[in-house]
Amino acid sequence: WRMIGKVGTYLSSASAGYIRLLQSAPVSTKVVTASTLATAGDVIAQKVSFDAAQKEQAPPARKRQTLRDWDLNRMFMFTAFGGFYTGAVQHVWFGILNAPAVARFLPAKGVVAQALARTLVNQFLAIPVLYYSIFYTWRGFCRAETPAETLTLARAEYWPTLKLNWAFWLPTQTLLFACVSAKYHVPGCSLLALVWNAVLSFVSMAQHPELKASAAAVGGGGG
């Protein structure tokens, strides 16, 4: 019990410290949070993918994952994108969505209805237009793709990935907006994105590696 008490004290102290950072340096704290959790999500995705690939090999051919087996370029891509979009862009965008002036223009009344209205605006306006435009451009740059290659892949992946995004984020983000204080919306989305990446890692998408990569990125900031 003494150990449990110490752990509880440590978590309480860490939580209080994090809240102070959110108050004193909200943007940088959210960027670091989003970047860290985006990295963790991609680590999970790459680890699960590697282990699944090894299970398909005969026992003599199986190996342990080493540094050479990690796609560090992809990890950097998700880390930077998560910090920029989920941490910085959504700090500004969620601030607009939660502004009292905006609330007066939303037709819905009540906490849950307002949360749903904000989610619908985000998921059917910001995500399809802003998020995907930034993501595919950034991914193409990191992969040294030509504009034509980036556009071709984006056209192939856009609709299936967007449907996956909506299936996860419409209910979870509505719940987040309804139950969590606005100042925690970005950290909350970052944490949900970690769960989203983990879920995607277990989805059978091996025959569509490009779709899997782009869908995993939705967890980096699709919320």
Side-chain angles (χ1 to χ4, degrees):
W1 292 109
R2 185 175 300 176
M3 179 62 69
I4 294 176
K6 288 182 178 180
V7 172
T9 301
Y10 172 78
L11 291 176
S12 178
S13 176
S15 176
Y18 183 77
I19 291 172
R20 287 195 295 270
L21 285 174
L22 276 176
Q23 294 171 341
S24 61
V27 179
S28 57
T29 301
K30 290 173 184 178
V31 168
V32 171
T33 300
S35 297
T36 302
L37 291 176
T39 303
D42 188 57
V43 167
I44 292 172
Q46 291 200 43
K47 176 62 176 173
V48 172
S49 297
F50 180 85
D51 290 347
Q54 291 306 303
K55 288 181 180 179
E56 295 177 357
Q57 301 290 330
R62 293 176 184 174
K63 63 175 183 177
R64 291 187 176 183
Q65 195 166 11
T66 65
L67 183 61
R68 292 182 178 181
D69 298 311
W70 291 95
D71 188 340
L72 299 181
N73 183 61
R74 168 182 148 159
M75 193 179 298
F76 166 75
M77 179 182 72
F78 285 175
T79 299
F81 184 80
F84 173 73
Y85 188 87
T86 307
V89 173
Q90 287 194 333
H91 168 79
V92 177
W93 172 233
F94 285 178
I96 295 172
L97 279 181
N98 289 302
V102 173
R104 289 196 293 268
F105 288 97
L106 295 176
K109 302 299 180 183
V111 175
V112 175
Q114 286 262 320
L116 178 59
R118 289 187 175 95
T119 299
L120 293 176
V121 171
N122 185 47
Q123 291 297 328
F124 288 94
L125 177 61
I127 297 301
V129 178
L130 181 62
Y131 169 80
Y132 279 110
S133 297
I134 297 173
F135 168 68
Y136 284 123
T137 301
W138 173 241
R139 191 184 69 174
F141 173 79
C142 290
R143 293 180 173 183
E145 296 171 351
T146 65
E149 290 171 336
T150 297
L151 186 59
T152 298
L153 287 172
R155 285 174 173 170
E157 300 169 11
Y158 180 83
W159 180 237
T161 306
L162 185 59
K163 288 190 291 184
L164 286 172
N165 180 95
W166 286 337
F168 180 84
W169 286 103
L170 282 173
T172 56
Q173 195 162 74
T174 300
L175 188 63
L176 178 73
F177 285 172
C179 301
V180 178
S181 173
K183 62 184 177 182
Y184 301 125
H185 284 172
V186 170
C189 276
S190 299
L191 188 58
L192 286 171
L194 175 63
V195 176
W196 177 227
N197 275 335
V199 169
L200 286 173
S201 299
F202 291 96
V203 174
S204 178
M205 300 172 71
Q207 63 271 44
H208 301 293
E210 291 297 337
L211 177 58
K212 182 173 181 178
S214 63
V218 173

